Amino acid sequence: MDVMTAVLTRRSEHILHAPAPDDAEFTYLLRGASLAPDHGRLRPWRWILLRGDERAELGLAIAAETGADAAETERLRNKYQRAPLSAALVFVPRTHPVPEWEQLAAASCVAHSLMLLLHARDYGSVWRTGRLATSPVVGEFLGLRSPERLLGILDIGTPDVTSGRRRRVPDDMSENVTRFDELREPGSALAGSRGER
């Protein structure tokens, strides 16, 4: 699969079945994803892989935090078993001249690269955030250490072939692109600021 095809056809897959990559395959794909832009090659991230009952335990931890009743506890227990593999992305900011926002961008880039590589291997994935990313109980459950923080969990598996998801048509992006020489045209903000010098 070429890169443009991977980008155009990747979707967030909400129904995921086994198989998912084993640890060796996940690590192999991560080796490729880690070549995403990363100023200073700091690798300000790490991944925690949850499989089997570990995913249910995550749901139970969230249920305990929210004071869920029995029915809601069971719902949350099942909710976090939607995929055979849940990969938690932990942001690990480094003490370095590279600013934290740029390190965060690097962690985001590696996640997207990994999603494309998974898709190219016929796996599906979906990015999960919400309560997961802000819950101190989830952070404790995952063993996060200060100043680490959870960015989200990537659910991974084999997409459901019956979901009938269609290829999206990319939106027109011409309004999001400006040529620099257009900024210099009379009446533009840049032209006005140059005239004030």
Side-chain angles (χ1 to χ4, degrees):
M1 183 182 297
D2 66 83
V3 177
M4 182 58 94
T5 299
V7 169
L8 291 174
T9 59
R10 188 211 64 82
R11 295 287 171 275
S12 293
E13 298 288 353
H14 296 270
I15 302 174
L16 295 163
H17 306 289
D22 61 19
D23 291 0
E25 187 175 15
F26 181 91
T27 303
Y28 170 77
L29 294 173
L30 185 58
R31 286 181 67 192
S34 71
L35 298 176
D38 180 0
H39 189 179
R41 296 185 68 196
L42 300 177
R43 297 193 176 103
W45 41 262
R46 64 187 179 97
W47 293 84
I48 301 171
L49 305 184
L50 295 93
R51 302 179 191 272
D53 291 341
E54 298 161 349
R55 299 160 305 144
E57 290 174 33
L58 175 62
L60 292 174
I62 291 173
E65 178 184 39
T66 60
D69 61 21
E72 179 65 5
T73 296
E74 186 61 20
R75 187 190 74 77
L76 288 167
R77 183 181 183 281
N78 293 331
K79 177 180 179 180
Y80 289 97
Q81 296 183 89
R82 293 174 291 198
L85 171 61
S86 293
L89 176 56
V90 179
F91 179 47
V92 187
R94 310 293 186 194
T95 302
H96 194 274
V98 173
E100 187 171 308
W101 72 262
E102 202 169 345
Q103 296 183 44
L104 182 59
S108 300
C109 285
V110 79
H112 187 244
S113 293
L114 181 60
M115 292 173 84
L116 290 174
L117 290 169
L118 287 161
H119 174 59
R121 285 216 167 186
D122 295 324
Y123 293 115
S125 62
V126 61
W127 185 241
R128 308 279 189 193
T129 54
R131 177 179 294 280
L132 283 169
T134 58
S135 164
V137 168
V138 171
E140 183 178 340
F141 174 80
L142 293 173
L144 303 192
R145 304 174 294 269
S146 180
E148 294 180 336
R149 66 182 188 265
L150 181 65
L151 296 184
I153 289 182
L154 190 61
D155 278 350
I156 303 168
T158 299
D160 190 317
V161 294
T162 66
S163 64
R165 307 219 40 213
R166 292 182 294 156
R167 183 173 173 163
R168 287 184 305 198
V169 177
D171 294 331
D172 179 8
M173 292 290 112
S174 58
E175 294 295 320
N176 297 74
V177 178
T178 304
R179 288 188 0 229
F180 185 74
D181 63 347
E182 292 174 348
L183 298 174
R184 295 181 170 186
E185 292 176 359
S188 72
L190 184 60
S193 66
R194 284 188 7 252
E196 292 170 6
R197 290 182 184 168

